[in-house]
Amino acid sequence: MLLYAGTANQVQNNMANNDDTFTNPKAHSLDGALFANGEIIGGRYKVISLLGKGGMGLVYKVEQVISREELALKTIHKNFLNETTIKRFENEARATFAVNHPNIISVKAYGLLDDQTPFMAMEIVDGETIAELLQDSGSLPIEVALPLIIQVCFGLAHAHENAVVHRDIKPSNIMIIKGRPIGTEGSVKILDFGIAKFSHREGGEIQALTKTGEIFGSPLYMSPEQCSRSKVDQRSDIYSLGCVIFETLTGKLPFKGNSALATLMMHQTNAPPRLGETSSKQKYPEDLERIVAKMLAKDPADRYQNLGVVAHDLSSILNRSDSSRISKKLSLEMPDNEDEETGSSIKRSFSFAAALVSLIFLLAIAVVSVMNFNAHRNVKADRERAIEQKKLEDVIEISRHPETKNVGDSTALNKISIPELEKKLAGSGNLLDLRGAKVTAEMLEIISKAKHIDNINFLGSNIDNGALEKLSKLQLTNITLSNSTFNDLGAQKISQIENLRTIKANDTTITNKGLGYLSKLNKLSQIKIEGTNVDIDGLRKFCRNKLLQQVSLANCPKIKAQEQEQLAKQFPKISFVCEGLYTPAQ
């Protein structure tokens, strides 16, 4: 299969998402070509054949007249030329042209043809996407999947360094190149930068693409911030790649609802499952579970901040693997056509070749480890900076809603009438945003009847704590209470909400007593209690919760530095974000 941007299955899947991708024909030809074979277009490209067509465009195999280099030339069908498609096409060309890396599909040139049709001239690559491999196998073994993902990390890290965020990372946009040993440079290509954005640019044409009311991306792999159409950066790609890793290893998606909207809400509210939850037979290393869980963190500040670190951590897992398992190969590396004599020769030499590939790959992993050594030494500093960034984001969040600064002052609060609340509930989807509001018992009673709500934001609100038990009628999974009047009584009341998985209660008056109530929440996986008066004794009891994965408690005056370290040692399966300490789960 001669391809530059995917195969038939990829096109079918992407066309369902209005993606502009292409496939090559197999047994039959495709009609609808704008240019004939042998025609010179743009004064420099000779058309060889039509490779394929997608939802809105065509791709030709062409020869650059002067260099004689064969390329794939992508254009938009004239029937679909409009301002939006042209801008998106131009965006893809500029984004891909801005990066030059062995793991990213290469754009050689772009511009306008004689008839003003936009075009891109791209390299031709031959291979299969991860999506196609998963259709055949269901999942890939760790020793096959991780070398592929590490290559994706390298390519995306390079794009991020050049201020390009892909925004549509998924299995059908990752191609494994035929004929190149797995894990070697250029053995994987990242495709389709059609909805990429330049992270250092917030206006102009790039921003215009996202003002049409659409959510760009593939719902099955979109980050929470992308689902809510919030600002995205490189950490959104890290989340999407976490979804890809999960599916590649398990054959199942971390989040999949009954509809696209349901899936979007799951990304925003549901705690990610563990890899091991997908099968009672398959076991995954705890280190790998932690890596994927961190990539799938809801809050971008809680994720990896750099894919170079992800590549390093994944390489560390491979370094501990049996080298004989790493040499396992995919069928796409074998030649397409073999006669009996050639086949016999290959079979005789296969053992030696496999051993050689294994050796080369292990050497490559060693090189990766060396390349990342300095970055690894600075991980602690990076994590400390991440903590400061989290604090800054909290300050920014409050500054955006000045009514939340002084919750004791009723004049500074949003006074929401009952009709206004009912209107807000009717149009809120699964998330109810009541930041900076005065929340009464009457309001909580009305909210309790909105069965579709599973995520509530009470940031900076004045809450009737005694009435919070009314929320137990809902299937709440997330609740934000930071900078509000939330206290131990409120903790006692929300401890009756059985499905709660995430609680954000930074800068509230909660104490050990409140933690004791919250410890009854058997499904709780994350809690943020920064700036509260909890102490080491209350935390020791609370951290016995079996499903707890992360505790954020920076700026807690009653928690000393040595006590932070004690907690990390006593509960190695929990990640602690403390003052000057970021400790991933062991």
Side-chain angles (χ1 to χ4, degrees):
M1 290 180 289
L2 190 62
L3 310 169
Y4 91 99
T7 61
N9 290 330
Q10 180 192 3
V11 171
Q12 292 171 2
N13 292 336
N14 287 347
M15 285 177 65
N17 294 320
N18 297 317
D19 285 349
D20 188 13
T21 50
F22 303 85
T23 181
N24 65 303
K26 290 187 178 181
H28 59 280
S29 63
L30 295 173
D31 52 15
L34 301 177
F35 305 108
N37 291 357
E39 184 176 355
I40 304 297
I41 57 177
R44 50 180 166 163
Y45 300 108
K46 180 181 179 180
V47 177
I48 298 175
S49 64
L50 175 67
L51 280 178
K53 66 178 181 179
M56 292 182 290
L58 303 163
V59 60
Y60 303 85
K61 181 180 180 182
V62 300
E63 181 184 84
Q64 216 283 349
V65 175
I66 297 177
S67 68
R68 299 293 180 90
E69 181 183 11
E70 290 188 350
L71 300 169
L73 189 139
K74 177 180 179 180
T75 67
I76 302 177
H77 196 288
K78 290 184 178 180
N79 293 343
F80 296 97
L81 283 175
N82 57 55
E83 184 178 1
T84 300
T85 59
I86 291 174
K87 285 182 177 180
R88 178 175 171 183
F89 189 95
E90 181 185 358
N91 183 52
E92 177 181 6
R94 288 191 291 110
T96 315
F97 196 79
V99 293
N100 181 18
H101 192 274
N103 296 117
I104 296 176
I105 196 78
S106 175
V107 171
K108 306 294 184 180
Y110 68 97
L112 297 176
L113 298 175
D114 298 338
D115 61 354
Q116 300 303 297
T117 302
F119 80 93
M120 275 188 290
M122 311 175 73
E123 69 175 318
I124 293 179
V125 292
D126 192 4
E128 293 182 85
T129 64
I130 288 182
E132 291 177 303
L133 291 177
L134 294 179
Q135 284 184 348
D136 295 335
S137 64
S139 64
L140 299 180
I142 291 175
E143 60 271 19
V144 172
L146 294 195
L148 302 177
I149 298 301
I150 289 169
Q151 291 291 304
V152 178
C153 288
F154 290 159
L156 277 179
H158 176 80
H160 295 164
E161 289 170 3
N162 287 275
V164 175
V165 182
H166 191 284
R167 298 203 299 171
D168 199 18
I169 292 298
K170 55 187 177 183
S172 58
N173 277 339
I174 301 170
M175 178 172 284
I176 304 158
I177 306 306
K178 187 176 293 186
R180 297 185 186 179
I182 297 172
T184 59
E185 184 180 82
S187 60
V188 172
K189 296 281 186 180
I190 302 169
L191 312 174
D192 196 357
F193 281 72
I195 62 170
K197 65 171 287 186
F198 293 85
S199 59
H200 62 280
R201 298 178 56 180
E202 295 303 319
E205 297 167 344
I206 304 299
Q207 188 180 27
L209 291 176
T210 62
K211 285 185 176 179
T212 63
E214 296 180 74
I215 295 179
F216 283 81
S218 301
L220 295 172
Y221 309 94
M222 284 167 58
S223 67
E225 60 270 24
Q226 198 173 1
C227 292
S228 62
R229 290 193 291 175
S230 302
K231 181 180 177 181
V232 301
D233 56 23
Q234 80 281 357
R235 296 172 297 184
S236 180
D237 283 350
I238 292 173
Y239 180 96
S240 297
L241 186 57
C243 294
V244 172
I245 295 176
F246 193 101
E247 185 180 11
T248 302
L249 291 172
T250 68
K252 299 179 181 179
L253 291 156
F255 303 109
K256 185 177 182 180
N258 295 327
S259 65
L261 180 60
T263 300
L264 294 177
M265 293 310 304
M266 290 174 73
H267 281 296
Q268 295 178 73
T269 61
N270 289 18
R274 287 170 56 87
L275 297 169
E277 292 176 7
T278 62
S279 173
S280 59
K281 298 179 181 179
Q282 179 66 44
K283 302 297 181 183
Y284 298 92
E286 277 301 314
D287 285 352
L288 185 55
E289 291 275 10
R290 285 190 291 272
I291 291 171
V292 175
K294 188 171 181 179
M295 294 178 76
L296 294 178
K298 301 299 180 189
D299 188 338
D302 296 335
R303 296 176 206 148
Y304 283 91
Q305 306 296 297
N306 187 305
L307 279 169
V309 179
V310 176
H312 173 275
D313 290 352
L314 292 175
S315 298
S316 298
I317 292 175
L318 284 176
N319 280 333
R320 295 194 297 270
S321 299
D322 182 350
S323 61
S324 64
R325 297 175 65 204
I326 295 176
S327 65
K328 181 173 182 177
K329 298 169 65 66
L330 296 177
S331 60
L332 60 88
E333 292 183 35
M334 299 300 293
D336 286 329
N337 300 309
E338 297 178 339
D339 57 26
E340 293 183 2
E341 182 178 352
T342 304
S344 299
S345 174
I346 290 177
K347 289 178 182 178
R348 288 194 298 270
S349 61
F350 182 79
S351 296
F352 172 79
L356 180 59
V357 168
S358 177
L359 176 60
I360 292 173
F361 177 69
L362 288 174
L363 288 174
I365 290 298
V367 171
V368 170
S369 297
V370 173
M371 290 174 63
N372 286 283
F373 178 71
N374 289 333
H376 184 58
R377 289 191 304 174
N378 293 325
V379 166
K380 182 176 180 180
D382 290 340
R383 288 168 174 166
E384 290 175 352
R385 283 193 292 271
I387 294 171
E388 295 304 315
Q389 178 65 22
K390 280 165 57 62
K391 297 175 187 175
L392 177 61
E393 288 176 355
D394 286 342
V395 173
I396 292 173
E397 178 69 19
I398 295 173
S399 69
R400 287 174 178 165
H401 304 275
E403 71 275 7
T404 68
K405 290 182 178 179
N406 300 296
V407 297
D409 181 3
S410 61
T411 63
L413 295 168
N414 292 328
K415 295 182 178 179
I416 300 176
S417 67
I418 298 304
E420 288 174 333
L421 175 62
E422 291 174 339
K423 182 178 180 180
K424 185 181 281 283
L425 285 169
S428 65
N430 295 62
L431 170 63
L432 177 61
D433 192 344
L434 288 177
R435 285 176 287 191
K438 183 174 177 60
V439 183
T440 65
E442 183 182 7
M443 292 172 64
L444 290 169
E445 178 63 32
I446 293 172
I447 294 170
S448 71
K449 297 176 182 178
K451 302 302 182 182
H452 62 288
I453 298 295
D454 60 16
N455 188 354
I456 298 181
N457 190 347
F458 286 135
L459 175 73
S461 295
N462 190 329
I463 306 168
D464 185 335
N465 281 274
L468 281 174
E469 64 183 0
K470 298 179 184 295
L471 298 180
S472 64
K473 299 176 183 178
L474 302 177
Q475 297 296 311
L476 281 185
T477 57
N478 291 8
I479 188 166
T480 298
L481 300 151
S482 298
N483 301 96
S484 71
T485 57
F486 180 66
N487 56 25
D488 290 341
L489 174 61
Q492 180 185 19
K493 300 304 180 181
I494 70 168
S495 68
Q496 301 174 41
I497 307 175
E498 297 180 353
N499 287 321
L500 267 183
R501 298 191 179 188
T502 300
I503 297 174
K504 296 181 181 179
N506 296 339
D507 299 301
T508 60
T509 59
I510 188 173
T511 66
N512 287 353
K513 184 178 180 181
L515 273 186
Y517 293 128
L518 297 181
S519 65
K520 300 175 183 178
L521 294 168
N522 296 326
K523 296 181 180 180
L524 192 66
S525 63
Q526 182 184 46
I527 189 168
K528 296 187 176 185
I529 44 176
E530 300 173 6
T532 63
N533 283 318
V534 298
D535 63 28
I536 187 71
D537 293 329
L539 281 165
R540 282 199 178 106
K541 296 177 181 178
F542 178 74
C543 288
R544 291 172 185 151
N545 190 317
K546 294 182 180 180
L547 294 184
L548 195 61
Q549 296 178 8
Q550 187 178 82
V551 178
S552 299
L553 41 87
N555 292 322
C556 290
K558 295 186 178 181
I559 306 292
K560 300 177 182 178
Q562 60 267 32
E563 291 176 333
Q564 297 173 7
E565 296 177 359
Q566 290 172 15
L567 284 172
K569 292 178 180 178
Q570 185 175 354
F571 302 98
K573 293 184 178 180
I574 299 176
S575 295
F576 289 94
V577 181
C578 311
E579 191 69 32
L581 176 69
Y582 186 111
T583 158
Q586 299 285 316

Coordinates of all heavy atoms in Angstrom, one line a residue, residues 273-321:
P273 N -9.7 4.6 33.7 CA -9.6 3.2 34.3 C -8.1 2.8 34.2 O -7.3 3.5 33.5 CB -10.4 2.4 33.3 CG -10.4 3.2 32.0 CD -10.4 4.6 32.4
R274 N -7.8 1.8 34.9 CA -6.4 1.2 34.9 C -6.3 0.3 33.7 O -7.4 -0.3 33.3 CB -6.1 0.5 36.2 CG -5.8 1.4 37.4 CD -5.8 0.6 38.7 NE -4.8 -0.5 38.6 CZ -3.5 -0.3 38.9 NH1 -3.0 0.9 39.3 NH2 -2.7 -1.3 38.8
L275 N -5.2 0.1 33.2 CA -5.0 -0.8 32.1 C -5.4 -2.2 32.5 O -6.1 -2.9 31.7 CB -3.5 -0.9 31.7 CG -2.9 0.4 31.1 CD1 -1.4 0.3 31.0 CD2 -3.5 0.7 29.7
G276 N -5.1 -2.6 33.7 CA -5.4 -3.9 34.2 C -6.9 -4.2 34.4 O -7.3 -5.4 34.5
E277 N -7.7 -3.1 34.4 CA -9.1 -3.4 34.6 C -9.8 -3.9 33.3 O -10.9 -4.4 33.3 CB -9.8 -2.0 34.9 CG -9.4 -1.5 36.3 CD -10.0 -0.2 36.6 OE1 -10.9 0.3 35.8 OE2 -9.7 0.4 37.6
T278 N -9.1 -3.9 32.2 CA -9.6 -4.3 30.9 C -9.6 -5.8 30.8 O -10.3 -6.4 29.9 CB -8.9 -3.7 29.7 OG1 -7.5 -4.1 29.8 CG2 -8.9 -2.2 29.8
S279 N -8.8 -6.5 31.5 CA -8.6 -7.9 31.4 C -8.2 -8.6 32.7 O -7.3 -8.0 33.4 CB -7.6 -8.3 30.3 OG -7.3 -9.7 30.2
S280 N -8.8 -9.7 33.0 CA -8.4 -10.4 34.2 C -7.1 -11.2 34.0 O -6.5 -11.7 34.9 CB -9.5 -11.3 34.7 OG -9.8 -12.3 33.7
K281 N -6.8 -11.4 32.8 CA -5.6 -12.3 32.4 C -4.3 -11.4 32.2 O -3.3 -11.8 32.6 CB -5.9 -13.1 31.2 CG -7.1 -14.1 31.3 CD -7.3 -14.9 30.1 CE -8.5 -15.8 30.2 NZ -8.7 -16.6 29.0
Q282 N -4.5 -10.3 31.5 CA -3.3 -9.5 31.1 C -2.9 -8.7 32.3 O -3.7 -8.0 32.9 CB -3.6 -8.6 29.9 CG -2.5 -7.7 29.5 CD -1.3 -8.5 28.9 OE1 -1.5 -9.4 28.2 NE2 -0.1 -8.2 29.3
K283 N -1.6 -8.7 32.6 CA -1.0 -7.9 33.7 C -0.1 -6.8 33.1 O 0.6 -7.1 32.2 CB -0.3 -8.8 34.7 CG -1.1 -9.9 35.3 CD -2.3 -9.3 36.2 CE -3.1 -10.4 36.8 NZ -4.2 -9.9 37.5
Y284 N -0.1 -5.6 33.7 CA 0.7 -4.6 33.2 C 1.6 -4.1 34.3 O 1.1 -4.0 35.5 CB -0.2 -3.4 32.7 CG -1.0 -3.8 31.5 CD1 -2.3 -4.3 31.7 CD2 -0.6 -3.7 30.2 CE1 -3.1 -4.6 30.6 CE2 -1.4 -4.1 29.1 CZ -2.7 -4.6 29.4 OH -3.4 -4.9 28.3
P285 N 2.8 -3.7 34.0 CA 3.7 -3.2 35.1 C 3.1 -2.0 35.8 O 2.5 -1.1 35.1 CB 5.0 -2.8 34.3 CG 5.0 -3.6 33.1 CD 3.5 -3.7 32.7
E286 N 3.3 -1.9 37.1 CA 2.8 -0.7 37.8 C 3.3 0.6 37.3 O 2.7 1.6 37.3 CB 3.1 -0.9 39.3 CG 2.1 -1.8 40.0 CD 0.7 -1.2 39.9 OE1 0.5 0.0 40.1 OE2 -0.3 -2.0 39.6
D287 N 4.6 0.6 36.9 CA 5.2 1.8 36.3 C 4.5 2.2 35.1 O 4.2 3.4 34.9 CB 6.7 1.5 35.9 CG 7.6 1.5 37.2 OD1 7.1 1.8 38.3 OD2 8.8 1.2 37.0
L288 N 4.0 1.3 34.2 CA 3.3 1.6 33.0 C 1.9 2.2 33.4 O 1.4 3.1 32.8 CB 3.2 0.4 32.1 CG 2.5 0.6 30.8 CD1 3.2 1.7 30.0 CD2 2.6 -0.7 30.0
E289 N 1.3 1.6 34.4 CA 0.0 2.0 34.9 C 0.1 3.5 35.3 O -0.8 4.3 35.0 CB -0.5 1.2 36.0 CG -0.9 -0.2 35.7 CD -2.3 -0.4 35.2 OE1 -3.0 0.7 34.9 OE2 -2.8 -1.5 35.0
R290 N 1.2 3.8 36.0 CA 1.3 5.2 36.5 C 1.6 6.2 35.4 O 1.1 7.3 35.4 CB 2.4 5.3 37.6 CG 2.0 4.7 38.9 CD 3.1 4.9 40.0 NE 4.3 4.2 39.7 CZ 4.6 3.0 40.1 NH1 3.6 2.4 40.8 NH2 5.7 2.4 39.9
I291 N 2.4 5.8 34.4 CA 2.7 6.6 33.3 C 1.4 7.0 32.5 O 1.1 8.2 32.3 CB 3.7 6.0 32.3 CG1 5.0 5.9 33.0 CG2 3.8 6.7 31.0 CD1 6.0 5.0 32.2
V292 N 0.6 6.0 32.2 CA -0.7 6.2 31.5 C -1.7 7.0 32.3 O -2.3 8.0 31.8 CB -1.3 4.9 31.1 CG1 -2.7 5.1 30.4 CG2 -0.4 4.1 30.1
A293 N -1.8 6.8 33.6 CA -2.7 7.5 34.5 C -2.3 9.0 34.5 O -3.1 9.9 34.5 CB -2.7 6.9 35.9
K294 N -1.0 9.2 34.6 CA -0.5 10.6 34.6 C -0.8 11.3 33.3 O -1.1 12.5 33.3 CB 1.0 10.7 35.0 CG 1.5 12.1 35.2 CD 2.9 12.0 35.7 CE 3.5 13.4 36.0 NZ 4.8 13.4 36.5
M295 N -0.6 10.6 32.2 CA -0.9 11.2 30.9 C -2.4 11.6 30.8 O -2.8 12.5 30.1 CB -0.5 10.3 29.8 CG 1.0 10.1 29.7 SD 1.5 8.9 28.4 CE 1.3 10.0 26.9
L296 N -3.3 10.8 31.4 CA -4.7 11.0 31.3 C -5.3 11.8 32.5 O -6.5 11.8 32.7 CB -5.4 9.6 31.3 CG -5.1 8.7 30.1 CD1 -5.8 7.4 30.2 CD2 -5.6 9.4 28.8
A297 N -4.4 12.5 33.2 CA -4.9 13.4 34.3 C -5.9 14.4 33.7 O -5.6 15.0 32.6 CB -3.8 14.0 35.0
K298 N -7.0 14.7 34.4 CA -7.9 15.7 34.0 C -7.3 17.1 33.9 O -7.5 17.9 32.9 CB -9.2 15.7 34.9 CG -9.9 14.4 35.0 CD -10.4 14.0 33.6 CE -11.1 12.6 33.8 NZ -11.5 12.0 32.4
D299 N -6.6 17.5 34.9 CA -6.0 18.8 35.0 C -4.6 18.8 34.2 O -3.8 18.0 34.6 CB -5.7 19.2 36.5 CG -5.3 20.6 36.6 OD1 -4.8 21.2 35.7 OD2 -5.4 21.1 37.8
P300 N -4.5 19.6 33.2 CA -3.2 19.6 32.5 C -2.0 19.8 33.4 O -0.9 19.2 33.1 CB -3.3 20.8 31.5 CG -4.8 21.0 31.4 CD -5.4 20.6 32.7
A301 N -2.1 20.5 34.5 CA -1.0 20.7 35.4 C -0.6 19.4 36.0 O 0.6 19.3 36.5 CB -1.3 21.7 36.4
D302 N -1.5 18.4 36.1 CA -1.2 17.2 36.8 C -0.6 16.1 35.8 O -0.1 15.1 36.2 CB -2.4 16.6 37.4 CG -3.0 17.4 38.5 OD1 -2.2 18.2 39.1 OD2 -4.2 17.4 38.7
R303 N -0.5 16.5 34.5 CA 0.0 15.5 33.5 C 1.5 15.7 33.4 O 2.1 16.6 34.0 CB -0.6 15.8 32.1 CG -2.1 15.5 32.1 CD -2.6 15.9 30.7 NE -4.1 16.2 30.8 CZ -4.7 17.1 30.1 NH1 -4.1 17.7 29.1 NH2 -6.0 17.3 30.3
Y304 N 2.1 14.9 32.6 CA 3.5 15.1 32.1 C 3.5 16.5 31.4 O 2.5 16.8 30.7 CB 4.0 14.1 31.1 CG 4.4 12.8 31.8 CD1 3.5 11.7 31.9 CD2 5.7 12.6 32.2 CE1 3.9 10.5 32.5 CE2 6.1 11.4 32.7 CZ 5.2 10.3 32.9 OH 5.6 9.2 33.4
Q305 N 4.5 17.2 31.5 CA 4.6 18.5 30.9 C 5.4 18.5 29.6 O 5.4 19.4 28.8 CB 5.2 19.6 31.8 CG 4.5 19.7 33.2 CD 3.1 20.2 33.0 OE1 2.8 21.3 32.6 NE2 2.1 19.3 33.4
N306 N 6.2 17.4 29.4 CA 7.1 17.2 28.3 C 7.1 15.8 27.8 O 7.3 14.9 28.6 CB 8.5 17.7 28.7 CG 9.5 17.7 27.6 OD1 9.7 16.8 26.9 ND2 10.1 18.9 27.4
L307 N 7.0 15.6 26.5 CA 7.0 14.2 26.0 C 8.3 13.6 26.0 O 8.5 12.4 25.9 CB 6.4 14.2 24.6 CG 4.8 14.2 24.6 CD1 4.3 14.4 23.2 CD2 4.3 12.9 25.1
G308 N 9.4 14.4 26.1 CA 10.7 13.8 26.3 C 10.8 13.0 27.6 O 11.4 11.9 27.6
V309 N 10.1 13.5 28.6 CA 10.1 12.7 29.9 C 9.3 11.4 29.8 O 9.7 10.4 30.3 CB 9.6 13.6 31.0 CG1 9.6 12.8 32.3 CG2 10.4 14.9 31.2
V310 N 8.2 11.5 29.0 CA 7.4 10.3 28.8 C 8.2 9.3 28.0 O 8.2 8.1 28.4 CB 6.1 10.7 27.9 CG1 5.3 9.4 27.6 CG2 5.2 11.7 28.7
A311 N 8.9 9.7 27.0 CA 9.8 8.8 26.2 C 10.8 8.1 27.1 O 11.1 6.9 27.1 CB 10.5 9.5 25.1
H312 N 11.4 8.9 28.0 CA 12.4 8.4 29.0 C 11.8 7.3 29.9 O 12.3 6.2 30.1 CB 13.0 9.5 29.8 CG 13.9 9.0 30.9 ND1 13.4 8.6 32.1 CD2 15.2 8.9 30.9 CE1 14.4 8.2 32.9 NE2 15.5 8.4 32.2
D313 N 10.6 7.6 30.4 CA 10.0 6.7 31.4 C 9.5 5.4 30.7 O 9.7 4.3 31.2 CB 8.8 7.3 32.0 CG 9.2 8.4 33.0 OD1 10.4 8.6 33.3 OD2 8.3 9.2 33.5
L314 N 9.0 5.5 29.4 CA 8.7 4.3 28.7 C 9.9 3.5 28.3 O 9.9 2.3 28.4 CB 7.9 4.7 27.4 CG 6.5 5.3 27.6 CD1 6.0 5.8 26.3 CD2 5.6 4.4 28.3
S315 N 11.0 4.2 28.0 CA 12.2 3.5 27.7 C 12.8 2.7 28.9 O 13.3 1.6 28.8 CB 13.3 4.5 27.2 OG 12.9 5.1 26.0
S316 N 12.6 3.3 30.1 CA 13.0 2.6 31.3 C 12.3 1.3 31.5 O 12.9 0.3 31.9 CB 12.7 3.5 32.5 OG 13.5 4.7 32.4
I317 N 11.0 1.2 31.1 CA 10.3 0.0 31.2 C 10.8 -1.0 30.2 O 11.0 -2.2 30.5 CB 8.8 0.2 30.9 CG1 8.2 1.1 32.0 CG2 8.0 -1.1 30.8 CD1 6.7 1.5 31.8
L318 N 11.1 -0.6 29.0 CA 11.7 -1.5 28.0 C 13.1 -2.0 28.4 O 13.5 -3.1 28.1 CB 11.8 -0.8 26.6 CG 10.5 -0.7 25.9 CD1 10.7 0.1 24.6 CD2 9.9 -2.0 25.5
N319 N 13.8 -1.2 29.0 CA 15.2 -1.6 29.5 C 15.1 -2.7 30.5 O 16.1 -3.5 30.6 CB 15.9 -0.4 30.1 CG 16.5 0.6 29.1 OD1 16.8 0.2 28.0 ND2 16.6 1.8 29.5
R320 N 14.0 -2.8 31.2 CA 13.9 -3.9 32.1 C 13.2 -5.2 31.5 O 13.1 -6.2 32.2 CB 13.1 -3.5 33.3 CG 13.7 -2.3 34.1 CD 13.0 -2.1 35.5 NE 11.7 -1.7 35.3 CZ 11.3 -0.5 35.3 NH1 12.1 0.5 35.3 NH2 10.0 -0.2 35.1
S321 N 12.9 -5.1 30.2 CA 12.2 -6.2 29.6 C 13.2 -7.2 29.1 O 14.4 -6.9 28.9 CB 11.3 -5.7 28.4 OG 10.3 -4.8 28.9

